[in-house]
């Protein structure tokens, strides 16, 4: 296929698969720059094609551990589990079901496997052994289990037993490493390379209460500016859902009598506007009649289900969005409800519904989020403009897509685990802040979200920011908490840190685009041979030199494990001297660590990313500063070096808005 | 098929289905005694057979509500939901998955539908409407939804959209009513009639801590007698699980050096012994070599998966149980782990594993519990003895089976809902008591379990009864709570009530056997036209005249709804004058109500059901006592009448142990 990528075709694969339906080509240049690998790390798979579908077995070595399968909220290391790759809106059980499951895994032996199917494939990860055929020695009887629990068999040889139902064949892609990180890079580059979001997309986002009218949204935006809360994007609901909940995509004219003027006023204050929607199209929508021939046979909420797998469906749906919304200045969308509902009410279209493009509901669910993103993204691409938005479902080969996943679930630990897991499968995840059970909870959640792909407070059910009042009813009655100003100041500082970190983050994303390195990723991805990191799902790497260990409200202490190498406390510069430490749960700042000797660009805090402050930066110097920093691929790219007690800056290429380094600050001794 | 039962065959059904694999014939005599129905209540179904499987549509009328689908713990009325009939050990999401899902539903229009498949069928219950094809009036836009919630469409016509995967046809059975109760009766009689458990099975059960040795178990049994806690059955674990957790079915000889003598000693004190096990057979088991040819291709916990669908598998596995255990006096078994594990670790055999009988893992999971029950039950039947046991999985046509379902989950409300739901699908459910969060919780759980098919405390992880100490560690250190005697007295009284109720319960089960009327069932089953009962999933009918409304710990008040007719408080005889009442959460006794004018047999409390006390009863007389009571089908059957201020008794047929009525007690005024 490409250097270090192998493909095995079993039987007669279906026409609709992630790779065969792909709409972004592989990033060949990036792939070419990775080291070549002589031999495929896996043998040709054993397989069997029956009326059930296609089955195959891939080997696992002793102690080999598995990661991936997309946006898993409930587990991290996947060996010993059964995973079903099925799209689901409420992944409350650890079954593999997820908003964005991906039939892709990587292992500590340094390779990745993509099963190229939109079917609800099942992976039995290493525990399905053939039946014993000889009596074992009676000695095995001597140790009875004290609890009713069994010994795990991770230390045995095994196999991944995979079944893709209802297909008479499939393609299997193997991504070589030789390291786990390089296997992920290859997958991401094969997907088309990671997304580099527009700068404003990496700023701070605020979603307004769903009933606010245009004037109220603008007033809210003003108050953010007045309170010196940086903000780039306002999210809102245009009120285009009907009584049946399907959408018309026509603004509620009572709340937004002049949308264009509203968008322009927001823009004049440096705000972009992002609109909530879902795809199910009500008969009263202006696109209804044109969409009927490009819709599935079953309604959702009395609305059409657009066939986004068909060019016509994308054209009708996307074209309207382009003309009526993007051309008027909308920066992006929040694509809701595009997953599925096996664990809730079964509100979405059935797996056996039919679409004009020839696929069934099962195949559509696996790509509805992907093709919905395509539909919207296409309109921006046609116009040569960038977007960055939110989506509730995604799938395989999604690395290039400018959309970030979110969930209606709200467990902080799960949100961090999702962030850690997302990096294995080319996904981005937003651990959004909605409300909080306490000031501590609010601060801890906010500290996490500003160290994520999309820094957002989603206040869709409270009229004021949560730091002004955490009680929902009181918030909506505009009654603020006593002492809210202090909490707001804390939150302002945390959001400010997002702005300070932006040049660094943008550099990390640039590397995602060019080299496929996930900007947010698990420790084990960079250090697969370190057993102490194999289960760490609540710490993560950011870019090439930072590691975060979020605090969770209500916990007295926080244990932190360090990867090999020398680390310094980001805030104080203190050297970390142990591989495992414990910090107090009351620690003010989020525990954040930097590789010893690093340079770190640190921007000033302005009202939004377009402001002049975003281009003025000091450089934090840790230790001897030998670890240079560069973001050559990013617009406004920049290289920093530190020699003999003085800084050095190089600005490669042409820049519209060059950086100005205002100073160099030594952190710690 | 039979009076009031219709069968439609679509395409070419599989050989392995619930009906085609049935091992108990229909109860033709009972079916013959139900009223004939002229016309099938449903039209011939629309269907489609494709490579996905077999799909069909069945109509739903406006307002028609659906119940059933087996042991659903998380929901009650099923219209508007998607249900997947998939066996699962940890049904923590409302997806249809369950220990004992059944592809059978009944509706308020008074009929039932069985989809005869072991495949993981999916039911879209009424929400999958065809896509709209005409623009509706713009008026539908005017009312936007205040929350992001939609209007339900139960009030519309609709259809149940059913898909059975991987089969090229199936049989559909329709059970006429004309009432919902009669539709359920027909289903149960078609299944072979309900089980009538042995009398001892309806006594009190106590499962001992898993590590106790024979002497300790006997000492525990003695202490129950000394404390005057009635008990018929002791459950225990013989220690035959290995380090890998698979079983040998050979007693741990350290703990039980002489099993036969142990069983005899227990029997001499009036105790029967029930043994825990699961089916996965370790290589060190005496049956291993003989079982190898009758096992699936994949191991579970390094053990064989017996092919219970094959006569040979049942013979090897069951034969050993007969010779080695049943012949030595074991009364029954607790068949654990026979469900599946999609939501946990995937520990069970894969859906695509293969069995010598020709079925795959998917088909096996749907019947593993059923055929496991057959395997064990066969051995008792061969010997002409009765059994009553526990099983963690069951399925379609299970009404005649002498096994009661249980779960490792432990939510009291869910346990009551499971009891209420079980009656729709021919299942029995045990809301077992393990431990409790408070004395109140213990009392409330115990009050529920004594009004269920199997009254059991399952103390498998505590060495002493929970009423002596609720803290697990202290319990296992034999440290009792202060004042435990008072709590024990409360529990003793509640368990005593079970013994008092036994003649009535046995009558209710006799009617289950003869007429198919579930002894425990939802209010809506008897009163489908009353909308106030349509969602009542925490009250239930017991037999022909009792209604229970369990209390749940920590709730200040309890709302109770009454079915049509006149009701009296069971404890006081007070007439209920409102259709809806509220009782205090602190109420001492479980709220229990009896149809006005009822007679109720009320036994004395003895140490076990074989004791003389079980045959001495007073009769509780409510109001004018016009509602006679009879249990003509039950062994020891009895008819009670009350006329002109004096009692009347008739003992029909021959009885080994006749009842003695010791007195008549007027309850209330």
């Amino acid at each position: 296929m490409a250097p270090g990528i192998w493909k095995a075709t079993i039987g007669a694969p279906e026409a609709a698969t992630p790779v065969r339906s792909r709409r972004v080509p592989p990033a060949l240049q990036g792939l070419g720059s990775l080291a070549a690998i002589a031999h495929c790390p896996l043998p040709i798979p054993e397989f069997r094609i029956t009326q059930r579908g296609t089955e195959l077995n891939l080997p696992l070595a002793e102690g080999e551990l598995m990661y991936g399968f997309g946006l898993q909220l409930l587990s991290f290391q996947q060996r010993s589990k059964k995973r079903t790759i099925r799209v689901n809106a409420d992944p409350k059980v650890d079954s593999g079901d997820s908003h964005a499951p991906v039939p892709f895994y990587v292992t500590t032996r340094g390779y990745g496997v993509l099963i190229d199917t939109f079917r609800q494939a099942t992976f039995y990860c290493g525990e399905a052994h053939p039946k014993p055929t000889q009596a074992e020695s009676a000695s095995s009887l001597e140790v009875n289990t004290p609890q009713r629990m069994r010994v795990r068999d991770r230390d045995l040889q095994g196999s991944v037993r995979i079944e893709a139902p209802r297909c008479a064949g499939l393609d299997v892609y193997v991504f070589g490493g030789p390291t786990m990180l390089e296997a992920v890079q290859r997958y991401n580059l094969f997907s088309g390379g990671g997304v580099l979001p527009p700068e404003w997309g990496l700023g701070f986002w605020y979603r307004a209460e769903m009933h606010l009218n245009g004037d109220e949204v603008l007033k809210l935006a003003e108050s953010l500016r007045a309170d010196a809360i940086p903000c780039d994007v306002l999210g809102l609901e245009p009120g285009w859902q009907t009584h049946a909940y399907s959408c018309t995509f026509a603004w509620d004219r009572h709340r937004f009598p002049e949308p264009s003027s509203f968008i322009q006023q927001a823009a004049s204050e440096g705000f972009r506007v992002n609109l909530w929607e879902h795809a199910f199209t009500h008969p009263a929508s202006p696109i209804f009649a044109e969409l009927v021939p490009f819709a599935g046979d079953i309604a959702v909420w009395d609305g059409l289900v657009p066939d986004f797998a068909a060019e016509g469906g994308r054209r009708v749906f996307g074209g309207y969005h382009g003309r009526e919304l993007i051309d008027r200045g909308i920066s992006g969308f929040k694509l809701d409800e595009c997953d599925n509902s096996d664990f809730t009410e079964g509100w979405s279209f059935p797996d056996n519904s039919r679409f004009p493009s020839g696929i069934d509901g099962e195949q559509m669910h696996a790509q509805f989020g992907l093709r919905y993103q395509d539909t919207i993204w296409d309109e921006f691409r046609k116009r040569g403009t960038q977007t960055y938005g939110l989506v509730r479902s995604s799938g395989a080969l999604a690395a290039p897509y400018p959309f970030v996943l979110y969930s209606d679930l709200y467990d902080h630990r799960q949100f961090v685990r999702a962030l850690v897991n997302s990096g294995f499968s080319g996904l981005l995840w937003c651990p959004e802040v909605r409300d909080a059970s306490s000031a501590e909870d609010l601060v801890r959640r906010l500290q996490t979200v500003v160290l994520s792909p999309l820094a957002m407070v989603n206040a869709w059910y409270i009229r004021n920011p949560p730091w002004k009042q955490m009680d929902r009813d009181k918030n909506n009655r505009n009654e603020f908490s006593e002492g809210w100003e202090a909490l707001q100041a804390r939150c302002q500082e945390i959001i400010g840190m997002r702005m300070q970190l932006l040049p660094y983050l943008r550099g990390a994303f640039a590397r995602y685009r060019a080299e496929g390195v996930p900007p947010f990723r698990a420790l084990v991805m960079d250090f697969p041979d370190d057993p102490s990191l194999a289960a760490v799902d609540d710490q993560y790497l950011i870019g090439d030199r930072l590691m975060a260990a979020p605090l969770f409200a209500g916990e007295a202490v926080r244990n932190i494990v360090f990867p090999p190498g020398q680390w310094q406390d980001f805030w104080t510069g203190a050297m970390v001297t142990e591989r495992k430490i414990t910090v107090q749960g009351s620690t003010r700042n989020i525990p954040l660590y930097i590789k010893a000797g690093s340079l770190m660009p640190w921007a000033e805090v302005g009202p939004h990313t377009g402001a002049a402050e975003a281009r003025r930066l000091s450089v934090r110097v840790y230790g001897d500063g030998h670890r240079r920093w560069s973001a050559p691929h990013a617009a406004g790219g920049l290289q920093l070096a530190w020699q003999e007690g003085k800084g050095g800056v190089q600005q490669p290429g042409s820049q519209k808005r060059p950086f100005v380094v205002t100073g160099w600050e030594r952190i710690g001794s």
Side-chain angles (χ1 to χ4, degrees), chain A:
Chain A
M1 283 299 305
I5 304 178
W6 291 267
K7 168 181 167 181
T9 297
I10 294 168
E14 295 183 291
T17 73
V19 176
R20 286 161 194 255
S21 307
R22 67 185 302 161
R23 303 197 64 253
V24 180
L28 295 176
Q29 190 182 345
L31 282 171
S33 68
L34 291 180
I37 301 179
H39 300 291
C40 181
L42 288 179
I44 302 290
E46 299 168 33
F47 67 93
R48 185 162 64 177
I49 299 170
T50 71
Q51 54 135 29
R52 291 186 58 84
T54 303
E55 305 171 25
L56 64 153
N57 270 294
L58 295 171
L60 283 174
E62 282 180 37
E64 183 174 1
L65 300 179
M66 298 170 64
Y67 301 87
F69 297 120
L71 186 78
Q72 298 295 319
L73 272 72
L74 292 163
S75 58
F76 181 57
Q77 197 287 114
Q78 304 294 352
R79 183 163 180 175
S80 85
K81 293 178 180 279
K82 175 179 180 182
R83 303 286 75 167
T84 300
I85 303 303
R86 189 169 65 158
V87 174
N88 189 278
D90 264 290
K92 291 182 183 169
V93 283
D94 186 22
S95 58
D97 294 76
S98 155
H99 298 286
V102 180
F104 175 74
Y105 65 86
V106 289
T107 88
T108 45
R109 284 185 60 229
Y111 64 88
V113 174
L114 173 68
I115 303 299
D116 186 31
T117 182
F118 284 134
R119 297 292 173 191
Q120 291 166 2
T122 304
F123 293 70
Y124 295 87
C125 299
E127 297 244 330
H129 299 286
K131 72 174 172 183
T133 52
Q134 294 187 314
E136 291 175 6
S137 82
S139 69
S140 60
L141 265 180
E142 289 182 12
V143 186
N144 283 6
T145 167
Q147 297 296 325
R148 284 184 183 167
M149 294 302 294
R150 68 209 165 76
V151 176
R152 294 215 168 280
D153 65 359
R154 280 178 201 159
D155 297 332
L156 304 175
Q157 278 204 330
S159 70
V160 186
R161 187 181 172 103
I162 303 163
E163 181 175 39
R166 286 175 281 270
C167 61
L170 41 76
D171 295 320
V172 179
Y173 291 84
V174 179
F175 298 84
T179 67
M180 197 196 291
L181 176 59
E182 286 167 289
V184 170
Q185 287 178 256
R186 263 182 240 276
Y187 170 76
N188 287 336
L189 291 167
F190 177 74
S191 304
V195 58
L196 172 59
E199 244 180 313
W200 54 263
L202 296 178
F204 180 70
W205 294 47
Y206 188 95
R207 299 200 78 84
E209 201 272 343
M210 66 177 293
H211 300 99
L212 298 193
N213 65 31
D215 287 344
E216 289 168 326
V217 172
L218 291 171
K219 206 169 144 193
L220 174 75
E222 263 176 54
S223 78
L224 291 172
R225 292 281 183 260
D227 291 340
I229 306 287
C231 186
D232 271 87
V233 182
L234 295 169
L236 57 87
E237 300 195 17
W240 50 35
Q241 65 270 45
T242 62
H243 68 294
Y245 191 43
S246 47
C247 286
T248 63
F249 312 107
W251 297 75
D252 175 348
R253 292 290 172 163
H254 294 105
R255 286 170 50 218
F256 297 95
E258 295 184 57
S260 297
S261 145
F262 166 79
I263 296 164
Q264 282 161 24
Q265 284 181 258
S268 70
E269 299 297 326
F271 291 100
R272 281 170 174 81
V273 176
N274 176 291
L275 300 183
W276 172 90
E277 67 170 48
H278 63 69
F280 307 115
T281 306
H282 191 269
S285 171
I287 60 174
F288 179 82
E290 210 184 340
L291 195 59
V292 166
F294 302 109
D297 59 346
I298 301 296
V300 174
W301 301 319
D302 299 348
L304 298 176
V305 180
D307 186 352
F308 291 134
E311 194 279 333
R314 293 195 296 271
R315 180 173 39 79
V316 170
F317 192 95
Y320 172 88
H321 280 67
R323 290 189 308 276
E324 298 294 326
L325 301 164
I326 299 169
D327 281 347
R328 293 182 187 188
I330 292 302
S331 73
F333 298 87
K334 176 179 178 177
L335 310 180
D336 209 9
E337 315 287 10
C338 50
D339 31 36
N340 196 1
S341 57
D342 292 275
F343 298 159
T344 43
E345 295 272 305
W347 47 256
S348 198
F349 53 89
D351 289 335
N352 63 352
S353 52
R354 306 292 169 112
F355 288 84
S357 57
I359 64 174
D360 63 26
E362 177 187 15
Q363 294 169 301
M364 183 54 103
H365 276 302
Q367 63 177 313
F368 197 65
L370 282 169
R371 296 292 92 83
Y372 191 4
Q373 291 171 70
D374 276 315
T375 303
I376 298 297
W377 188 21
D378 280 353
E379 297 300 320
F380 286 96
R381 282 193 286 190
K382 277 181 206 164
R383 288 164 175 79
T385 53
Q386 284 189 286
T387 185
Y388 199 50
L390 290 149
V391 68
R392 213 171 71 189
S393 181
S394 197
L397 308 185
Y401 287 73
F403 288 87
V404 183
L405 289 155
Y406 64 95
S407 176
D408 286 351
L409 301 179
Y410 200 52
D411 181 278
H412 190 188
R413 274 198 176 273
Q414 287 180 21
F415 272 26
V416 171
R417 187 183 296 116
L419 181 54
V420 172
N421 274 329
S422 63
F424 291 114
S425 312
L427 301 172
L428 299 179
W429 163 255
C430 173
E432 66 179 33
V433 179
R434 296 200 284 269
D435 55 10
S437 58
S438 65
E440 184 196 5
D441 187 37
L442 179 63
V443 165
R444 297 316 184 195
R445 288 176 178 275
L446 201 58
Q447 286 176 334
T448 298
V449 84
V450 301
L451 295 180
S452 85
L454 201 151
M456 180 169 76
V457 166
N458 178 11
W460 72 273
Y461 49 74
I462 44 177
R463 298 179 73 94
N464 298 283
W467 47 77
K468 294 193 172 175
Q469 174 59 264
M470 276 174 291
D471 181 287
R472 184 170 169 165
D473 292 334
K474 288 181 183 168
N475 187 305
N476 284 325
R477 290 197 304 266
N478 300 320
E479 295 172 22
F480 297 168
S481 306
E482 204 169 328
W484 64 269
E485 295 88 347
L487 182 56
Q488 174 170 292
R490 278 285 272 138
C491 294
Q492 179 199 25
E493 178 189 326
I494 295 164
I495 296 166
M497 183 211 166
R498 170 72 171 197
M499 305 302 281
Q500 293 172 304
L501 197 64
L502 255 164
Y504 176 76
L505 275 186
R506 197 156 157 78
F509 272 99
R511 208 174 155 213
Y512 189 34
R513 181 163 76 174
E515 300 169 38
V517 176
F520 301 88
R521 63 194 184 278
L523 276 49
V524 72
M525 203 190 295
D526 287 31
F527 305 95
D529 300 326
D530 188 331
S532 71
L533 306 178
V536 178
D537 61 359
D538 58 359
Q539 300 175 211
Y540 54 98
L541 300 170
I542 307 168
D544 68 347
R545 60 193 61 196
L546 285 182
M547 180 187 75
L551 296 173
F552 303 96
E555 304 196 351
V557 295
R558 205 308 178 191
N559 296 316
I560 302 175
V561 187
F562 288 88
Q566 289 261 295
W567 294 84
Q568 292 181 262
D569 184 292
F570 179 80
W571 305 104
T572 66
M575 289 296 296
V576 176
T577 55
E578 308 285 335
R579 282 293 305 279
K580 297 188 182 190
I581 67 167
T582 297
V583 302
Q584 294 303 306
S586 58
T587 303
R588 178 181 164 85
N589 288 325
I590 186 170
L592 187 63
Y593 301 89
I594 189 162
K595 286 182 180 168
S598 285
L599 299 182
M600 164 64 62
W602 201 239
E604 288 183 20
V605 180
H608 55 86
T609 57
E613 290 90 338
R615 281 296 175 286
R616 286 200 297 267
L617 46 89
S618 63
V619 179
R620 292 166 75 96
V621 182
Y622 292 84
D624 64 6
H626 74 275
R627 204 182 288 273
R628 325 164 41 108
W629 181 83
S630 68
H633 305 290
L638 168 79
Q639 295 184 9
L640 302 172
W642 171 258
Q643 285 170 335
E644 300 292 324
K646 60 182 169 88
V649 182
Q650 192 183 346
Q651 300 242 9
S654 65
Q655 282 105 38
K656 289 184 185 162
R657 301 175 59 215
F659 285 103
V660 178
V661 174
T662 59
W664 299 71
E665 184 187 7
R666 281 184 163 280
I667 308 297
S669 57

